[in-house]
Amino acid sequence: MTISFEGRVAIVTGAGGGLGRAYALELARRGAKVVVNDLGAACDGTGHSDAALNVVAEIEAAGGTAMSDGGSVTDADHMVAMVEKAKAAWGGVHILINNAGILRDKSFAKMEMADFRTVVDVHLIGSANATKAVWETMREQNYGRILMTSSSTGLYGNFGQANYAAAKLGLAGFARTLALEGQRNNVHVNTIAPTAATRMTQDIFPPELLERFRPETVAPAALFLVSEEAPTGAILGAGAGVVQAAYITLTRGVALDDATPESVAAQWEAITSRDRETVPQSGAEQAMTILQRLQGN
Ligand code: NAI
C-alpha cells in the first residue's frame, strides 16, 4: 500500500526549517499541495526571515506545488486569511500540521512570567488559532487530518522547560478532545512527540548522532498520522526511525471505605499498582471506572 497525498491540500506551520520543512517536502513529494507557513523566527521566537520562501522554492524545484505564508500562528486573523488563501487557490484544506514552536528555557525559579506566556502563546494558542481556522472547513468537507506537536518534555518533564512542558502537554489534551469532537465528520486528530537534530536541539545532541536523528527520520510517523489511514487520538513518539506509542494510563485504584489522608498513605502501594491498568478513551470513561470500583468490580 502506497500512502499518497495526491489531491490533498496541507498546511504545515513552522515549515521553514527543521521538522516542518521535512514534513512539507515529503507531503509535496507524495502529491500534496502545501502551504509552507513560517515566521522565520529565531529559536526564541524573535526576528523574521524568508525561511518559508526558501522551502517553497525547494518544493517547486523538485516538481511539487507550494505557497508560502510568512505570518505568525499567534495571529488568529492571519491564520483565517491563510486558510482562505489556500482554499481559494486549491479548493480546500485537508491536512494541518501544527509544528511551529519556540523555546525560552530557564528553571522555573528564574523564569519571567512573560516568557511563560509567550511560549504557551506560540505552541498552544498558536495551534488552536490554526486549528480553529481549518476546523469548520474540515467538518464541512467530512474530511480532515490534524497533527499536534507535543514533546517528551510535555509528556514526561524536563528540567528548565516548565513553560514549554505546560504548552506541550496542553496540546496532547487538546488533540484528545478534538479527536472525540471530530470523529463524526471524519476529522482525525493525533499528536506527535518528535526527537530530532534541529537548531532547537543542536546543543544537546552529540555530533555523532546528528545524522541518525535527521528530521527526515521523523517524517514517516508524522505523515502516517495525517494520512487517510490515520487513527485518531493517538500519541506517537518518533525519532531516528524509531516509532513509539505513548498512553495516559489509569491504575485500577482502590475504593477506600474511610477516605482520609492517612488511608491514602496506607493504601499507596495498591493505589499506584499498575496491575490491570487501563487507558480510558475519554474523560467519561475514567468516571465509569470510579463507579465500577464503588460497585466492587
Ligand atoms: P525549528 O526551530 O527548526 O522549527 C520551528 C519553526 O517554527 C522555525 O522555523 C520557526 O521560525 C517557526 N516559528 C516560530 N514561531 C513561529 C510563529 N509564531 N509562527 C510561525 N512559525 C513560527 O525546530 P524543530 O525542532 O524543527 O521544531 C519543530 C516542532 O517540534 C516544535 O513545535 C518543537 O517544539 C517540536 N519538538 C522538537 C523536538 C526536537 O527534538 N527537535 C523535540 C520535541 C518537540
Side-chain angles (χ1 to χ4, degrees):
M1 176 193 67
T2 306
I3 293 186
S4 167
F5 292 94
E6 210 63 56
R8 301 290 186 212
V9 174
I11 297 175
V12 185
T13 69
L19 287 158
R21 171 179 166 275
Y23 303 157
L25 287 171
E26 191 56 20
L27 281 166
R29 204 180 68 76
R30 289 172 179 261
K33 297 182 175 74
V34 183
V35 179
V36 177
N37 159 270
D38 204 299
L39 186 60
C43 246
D44 68 354
T46 58
H48 185 64
S49 79
D50 286 339
L53 284 173
N54 298 338
V55 174
V56 169
E58 273 188 272
I59 289 173
E60 288 176 345
T65 306
M67 69 165 84
S68 77
D69 180 276
S72 173
V73 294
T74 58
D75 181 343
D77 292 342
H78 185 88
M79 290 296 103
V80 171
M82 174 180 75
V83 169
E84 288 310 315
K85 209 168 127 196
K87 282 171 71 177
W90 297 328
V93 175
H94 309 100
I95 294 165
L96 169 66
I97 301 185
N98 286 304
N99 166 80
I102 63 167
L103 292 179
R104 299 269 174 104
D105 292 0
K106 264 187 191 138
S107 66
F108 192 58
K110 293 187 181 137
M111 189 179 287
E112 304 280 346
M113 278 313 292
D115 285 338
F116 198 102
R117 272 204 193 88
T118 302
V119 165
V120 170
D121 199 33
V122 172
H123 290 274
L124 184 56
I125 308 296
S127 298
N129 285 339
T131 302
K132 184 72 181 167
V134 299
W135 192 249
E136 228 19 71
T137 299
M138 289 184 173
R139 278 163 41 88
E140 280 165 15
Q141 288 169 175
N142 275 309
Y143 189 88
R145 298 290 182 263
I146 299 175
L147 186 62
M148 304 295 173
T149 305
S150 185
S151 161
S152 55
T153 294
L155 299 175
Y156 305 112
N158 192 27
F159 195 98
Q161 294 196 306
N163 47 3
Y164 184 78
K168 288 306 204 185
L169 192 56
L171 283 163
F174 181 38
R176 296 276 311 167
T177 288
L178 290 189
L180 298 173
E181 293 189 13
Q183 201 140 33
R184 202 154 54 102
N185 296 96
N186 191 19
V187 181
H188 292 195
V189 188
N190 293 293
T191 303
I192 193 160
T195 304
T198 65
R199 67 175 192 176
M200 204 179 254
T201 51
Q202 61 191 359
D203 300 338
I204 53 171
F205 263 97
E208 65 275 17
L209 288 181
L210 291 178
E211 176 61 20
R212 196 84 182 268
F213 279 84
R214 290 186 334 274
E216 289 73 19
T217 65
V218 174
L223 262 65
F224 174 66
L225 290 178
V226 295
S227 70
E228 200 164 338
E229 293 74 14
T232 195
I235 305 173
L236 290 189
V242 174
V243 183
Q244 303 162 309
Y247 294 99
I248 299 171
T249 65
L250 187 70
T251 67
R252 268 179 65 74
V254 174
L256 300 168
D257 294 334
D258 170 29
T260 60
E262 291 76 15
S263 63
V264 173
Q267 292 286 335
W268 186 250
E269 208 170 309
I271 291 167
T272 57
S273 164
R274 303 191 59 192
D275 182 36
R276 290 196 285 161
E277 73 181 2
T278 56
V279 179
Q281 291 307 302
S282 67
E285 273 193 23
Q286 183 188 5
M288 290 300 295
T289 64
I290 293 177
L291 290 174
Q292 286 164 2
R293 264 337 67 74
L294 289 177
Q295 286 158 6
N297 297 318

